[in-house]
Amino acid sequence: MQNWAGNLDYAAHTLARPSTLDELATVLAAAGPVRPLGSRHSFNDIADTPGTHVQVDRLDDGRPAVDLDPATGVVSVNAGLRYGEVSRALQLQGRGLGSLASLPHISVAGAVATGTHGSGDSNQSLAGPVVALEIMTTAGELRRVSRADDPEVFPGAVVSLGALGIVTRVELETMPSFDVRQDVAVDVPWETVLGSFDAVSGAAYSVSLFTSWEAAAVRHVLFKSLVPAGTVGERPAAVPGLRWATEPVHPLPGVDAAACTEQLGVPGPWHERLSHFRLEFTPSSGAELQTEYLLPRRHAVAAIEGMLGLAPRVAPLLQTCEIRTVAPDDLWLSPFDEDSVALHFTWHPRGAEVAAVLPAIEELLLPLGARPHWGKVFAIDPAELGALYPRFGDFKALTERFDPGGRLQGGYLGRLLG
């Protein structure tokens, strides 16, 4: 079995997809290594194991898969569901999530466990709205860990890399449903971005910049703006002189935009605008690699200027690069401990050449406080990466409490934890 991109053959000899909690406990009762597996959108072996992979997408614990408490606005969801499925169910009940990733196809538990995110100066990563998790440990014990009841453990249990057990339920804060319009500016000069980065990133609820680094302008800037109820809203006005797209665009140059969420300022519900792609489309064949670095927002301009200097080496390997902003949280293995900027690279599937350029990118970005996304390809040594997180020692101790036999420590996680 391979990951979604096809760049990695998993070492697992068995895939288990239990349909009940008892079946899951039986799987975990068997000896040997085990790892949770989500929608397989990781590009490295963070989810790998030489033993048994466990997917919970078929799990029925006797509760609704999307179980909203109308009194609190907290929704409990089956951890194996995709965000697109959860979003549609919430919209039908008049509720929404504050942020979504580019793809609605990723599983809730997998995205949360790796600190995956969307965009927006005030929007946290997908792990930010989590208020509780239900986790079955390798001993077969079902544990609920919540922010309210377990404040000493909870910040280490959310972005957990699957190191504590098999997450069966995720509880998320929701908000009233809201409408969004999406407008795309084209060929925005770098002088505008570098001279007014805060104005650009703050011009809408969610902003994404797409570049290949070698051009004199940012190819596309996606502005996703909140729309007052019953209106069509307006284009962002905080950045003057922008040129607006007159037809839908795809983040990758020359690709048909049919798979993209609706643009051109047409208002619609949050779940049909915040992601870049529609759930019913496969936005890519998977023939790509991805890298992402998250660093303090205060270093955004320095990072961008440095990347422009690396353009001759980077651009020939690149399909596109997305620049986003993310709000902070308090989770131990989240890279967002202050206002952050994300540089996300979508590469052509040329693994050896990409691996050769990553050290140069890290030489530029790591001194600026960058840390790689846990599920992408990067070069930094596991021991060095752990040292970038102040609570890493506490996280390692937590994994030993939940999984004393180290059965969950396969792939990159095993190298990370030593």
Side-chain angles (χ1 to χ4, degrees):
M1 184 171 62
Q2 293 184 316
N3 65 342
W4 171 78
N7 68 301
L8 177 68
D9 291 308
Y10 289 124
H13 59 70
T14 305
L15 172 63
R17 301 175 76 183
S19 58
T20 67
L21 292 173
D22 287 342
E23 288 182 11
L24 176 57
T26 298
V27 170
L28 294 175
V34 64
R35 286 286 284 151
L37 186 67
S39 48
R40 298 185 288 125
H41 274 77
S42 289
F43 292 79
N44 62 30
D45 64 347
I46 190 79
D48 206 5
T49 176
T52 299
H53 266 142
V54 179
Q55 283 186 291
V56 295
D57 55 332
R58 295 179 179 175
L59 188 66
D60 182 356
D61 61 3
R63 290 173 283 176
V66 180
D67 191 9
L68 178 68
D69 182 346
T72 64
V74 171
V75 65
S76 172
V77 307
N78 179 312
L81 288 179
R82 300 179 298 171
Y83 269 94
E85 297 160 342
V86 172
S87 298
R88 287 178 173 178
L90 284 176
Q91 175 65 14
L92 291 174
Q93 300 179 72
R95 304 298 293 183
L97 298 173
S99 187
L100 293 174
S102 299
L103 294 174
H105 309 74
I106 56 178
S107 69
V108 174
V112 165
T114 54
T116 298
H117 61 93
S119 185
D121 287 1
S122 299
N123 298 329
Q124 293 181 319
S125 79
L126 302 186
V130 176
V131 296
L133 301 163
E134 292 182 21
I135 307 170
M136 186 171 287
T137 69
T138 48
E141 175 190 9
L142 187 63
R143 299 182 59 175
R144 182 176 183 272
V145 180
S146 75
R147 181 176 287 280
D149 298 331
D150 308 282
E152 300 302 317
V153 171
F154 178 83
V158 182
V159 181
S160 68
L161 314 181
L164 305 184
I166 308 299
V167 175
T168 61
R169 282 264 165 183
V170 181
E171 297 177 30
L172 303 164
E173 290 180 325
T174 69
M175 61 182 64
S177 177
F178 54 97
D179 285 350
V180 175
R181 61 176 285 162
Q182 184 172 197
D183 296 277
V184 182
V186 297
D187 297 327
V188 179
W190 278 114
E191 291 80 2
T192 300
V193 173
L194 294 172
S196 307
F197 184 80
D198 289 346
V200 173
S201 72
Y205 181 78
S206 172
V207 177
S208 293
L209 297 82
F210 288 91
T211 178
S212 55
W213 295 114
E214 86 279 19
V218 177
R219 184 173 61 251
H220 300 138
V221 182
L222 276 58
F223 295 96
K224 300 170 190 270
S225 306
L226 299 182
V227 176
T231 74
V232 297
E234 297 179 348
R235 286 174 177 164
V239 185
L242 296 179
R243 185 162 67 89
W244 299 99
T246 57
E247 59 184 24
V249 302
H250 192 286
L252 300 182
V255 178
D256 190 294
C260 298
T261 51
E262 192 159 4
Q263 302 168 13
L264 304 182
V266 178
W270 61 280
H271 72 299
E272 294 180 354
R273 296 295 184 275
L274 291 184
S275 290
H276 298 335
F277 300 101
R278 305 173 192 258
L279 179 63
E280 56 269 21
F281 283 82
T282 301
S284 167
S285 65
E288 63 189 53
L289 298 174
Q290 293 183 11
T291 295
E292 185 172 42
Y293 296 99
L294 308 315
L295 63 151
R297 180 198 176 100
R298 53 195 162 90
H299 296 314
V301 171
I304 291 170
E305 290 175 337
M307 285 305 309
L308 289 169
L310 287 177
R313 295 189 61 185
V314 171
L317 303 174
L318 199 61
Q319 297 190 46
T320 193
C321 185
E322 182 178 5
I323 304 171
R324 292 176 281 182
T325 57
V326 188
D329 58 53
D330 64 348
L331 308 174
W332 294 352
L333 290 196
S334 165
F336 309 112
D337 46 12
E338 60 178 281
D339 288 321
S340 300
V341 64
L343 305 183
H344 183 284
F345 303 80
T346 300
W347 307 102
H348 293 290
R350 293 153 62 178
E353 294 170 90
V354 170
V357 79
L358 290 178
I361 296 176
E362 294 185 1
E363 184 179 1
L364 165 69
L365 297 180
L366 293 182
L368 298 176
R371 289 173 283 194
H373 185 289
W374 292 107
K376 313 296 185 181
V377 293
F378 49 86
I380 185 172
D381 180 83
E384 295 179 45
L385 180 53
L388 298 180
Y389 288 87
R391 300 297 298 271
F392 184 76
D394 296 321
F395 175 75
K396 188 172 182 179
L398 184 63
T399 68
E400 292 166 355
R401 286 171 53 189
F402 273 71
D403 179 33
R407 293 175 57 201
L408 291 158
Q409 296 182 22
Y412 188 86
L413 178 66
R415 300 191 296 277
L416 181 72
L417 296 176

